[in-house]
Amino acid sequence: PAFGLFIFTIARDPLRIIILIAGAFFWLVSLLLSSLIWFIAVKASDPQDERLQKGLLIFGVMFSVLLQEAFRFLYYKLLRKAIEGLVALSEDGCSPISIQQMAYVAGVGFGLMSGAFSMINLLADALGPGTVGIHGDSQLYFLTSAFMTMVLIFLHTFWGILFFHGCEHRRWWEIAAVVIMHLTVSGLSFCNPLYVGSLVPSYLLMAGAAAWAYLLSGGSAQNLRRFLLCKC
């Protein structure tokens, strides 16, 4: 899905490509910092204490989510300054890209890098040793992981639109909603290997976030109906 979003909506615009790559870099830096904190916490604790290690894992996931959203806010502030610079340099006093478009491209950048790392981890597990389901566990690990990666890519795209809109209009409850949704989806991963318990709620949240982002971007039910019916 990320490849399709990139090809059809971003690839032809150099400015959008730069914004996407910068967004992916911001997500990567947030992951690096959160991984460093988690690694230090694990090394400083007792590796034999399973309850403590599970608690540290939960802490690491939640801390990573909060750090990602903090870097999303920093990226918004950076892009806001960039728009002011683009307006000052333009001849007509208008920015060549709107904040809504920036929000979408930045969200795709976050989702693209998130999906890339999810797939890297998945491919690393596929190398073995062992066979999925050999001890009676679910054999749907790789399939459900692929679906979870897809939903995270789309969610990051929609979260980018919602988050930037909240920052732009000082609607802090929209920002809080994005953080809560992100924490919820990440927390649902602890339901595995009960994959239905994580996938179904995640896709329901994605549908809600998609509808919300569509409306905030100026969409309407009438426009959506005309699009689905292929009417001009």
Side-chain angles (χ1 to χ4, degrees), residues 26-40:
F26 267 70
W27 186 91
L28 190 61
V29 173
S30 71
L31 178 67
L32 176 63
L33 293 178
S34 58
S35 300
L36 181 61
I37 297 297
W38 178 78
F39 178 78
I40 294 174

Side-chain angles (χ1 to χ4, degrees), residues 158-180:
F158 303 141
W159 287 338
I161 297 172
L162 299 176
F163 195 96
F164 278 43
H165 185 272
C167 292
E168 192 72 8
H169 296 86
R170 299 296 189 269
R171 295 181 180 179
W172 306 118
W173 60 272
E174 290 182 350
I175 299 174
V178 170
V179 175
I180 291 172

Side-chain angles (χ1 to χ4, degrees), residues 152-222:
L152 281 174
I153 293 172
F154 282 120
L155 277 172
H156 271 293
T157 303
F158 303 141
W159 287 338
I161 297 172
L162 299 176
F163 195 96
F164 278 43
H165 185 272
C167 292
E168 192 72 8
H169 296 86
R170 299 296 189 269
R171 295 181 180 179
W172 306 118
W173 60 272
E174 290 182 350
I175 299 174
V178 170
V179 175
I180 291 172
M181 283 192 288
H182 199 167
L183 288 171
T184 300
V185 172
S186 298
L188 286 171
S189 62
F190 293 107
C191 295
N192 296 333
L194 183 61
Y195 298 117
V196 175
S198 59
L199 279 177
V200 173
S202 297
Y203 271 83
L204 291 176
L205 279 174
M206 184 191 72
W212 192 2
Y214 174 73
L215 294 174
L216 289 182
S217 300
S220 65
Q222 181 181 3

Side-chain angles (χ1 to χ4, degrees), residues 15 82-84 86-88 90 92-99 101-102:
L15 182 58
I83 287 181
E84 296 175 3
L86 290 172
V87 170
S90 64
D92 56 359
C94 297
S95 172
I97 185 171
S98 67
I99 189 66
Q101 292 171 334
M102 282 187 171

Side-chain angles (χ1 to χ4, degrees), residues 56-141:
L56 288 175
L57 179 61
I58 295 174
F59 162 77
V61 171
M62 299 300 117
F63 180 77
S64 177
V65 168
L66 295 176
L67 199 58
Q68 287 177 46
E69 297 307 327
F71 270 79
R72 199 192 302 272
F73 178 75
L74 292 176
Y75 192 41
Y76 162 78
K77 301 294 287 185
L78 178 64
L79 290 178
R80 208 67 190 83
K81 292 292 185 182
I83 287 181
E84 296 175 3
L86 290 172
V87 170
L89 292 174
S90 64
E91 296 180 355
D92 56 359
C94 297
S95 172
I97 185 171
S98 67
I99 189 66
Q100 292 85 359
Q101 292 171 334
M102 282 187 171
Y104 166 75
V105 177
V108 175
F110 270 62
L112 181 65
M113 188 56 66
S114 174
F117 266 79
S118 296
M119 291 305 298
I120 288 174
N121 292 332
L122 186 63
L123 293 174
D125 290 336
L127 292 176
T131 303
V132 176
I134 195 171
H135 294 298
D137 297 325
S138 174
Q139 298 183 8
L140 302 176
Y141 169 71

